[in-house]
Amino acid sequence: SGVSIHIGSQLLKLEPLREAFLQCADLFEIVSDSLPNGLKFIDLGGGLGVQYHQEQTIDVREYAALIR
């Protein structure tokens, strides 16, 4: 059992992801602490935006660092 989020799949900036991940982590702790066996996972869902034209995309290393 765990919590899952999906705030979009064509995101080109880290800030909305950072905000959602922090809120998800807070929710995970609150819910997990209230259950006898806690929660097991967080599914961050979504995906990184892709470059169709000249959009600036998210650096995968920065995304990985945010998740860590």
Side-chain angles (χ1 to χ4, degrees):
S1 59
V3 293
S4 299
I5 62 171
H6 177 61
I7 67 166
S9 57
Q10 184 56 16
L11 299 168
L12 300 173
K13 299 202 180 304
L14 279 178
E15 194 51 42
L17 294 165
R18 180 178 288 112
E19 175 86 17
F21 294 175
L22 289 171
Q23 289 183 24
C24 188
D26 289 345
L27 176 64
F28 182 89
E29 286 185 33
I30 291 167
V31 173
S32 193
D33 289 347
S34 70
L35 297 172
N37 295 320
L39 294 174
K40 306 291 185 240
F41 70 88
I42 297 176
D43 177 355
L44 297 175
L48 300 177
V50 295
Q51 188 176 34
Y52 289 109
H53 301 290
Q54 299 300 319
E55 300 93 350
Q56 179 72 21
T57 58
I58 295 171
D59 183 285
V60 175
R61 291 173 296 261
E62 290 180 22
Y63 180 69
L66 174 63
I67 292 170
R68 278 192 295 271

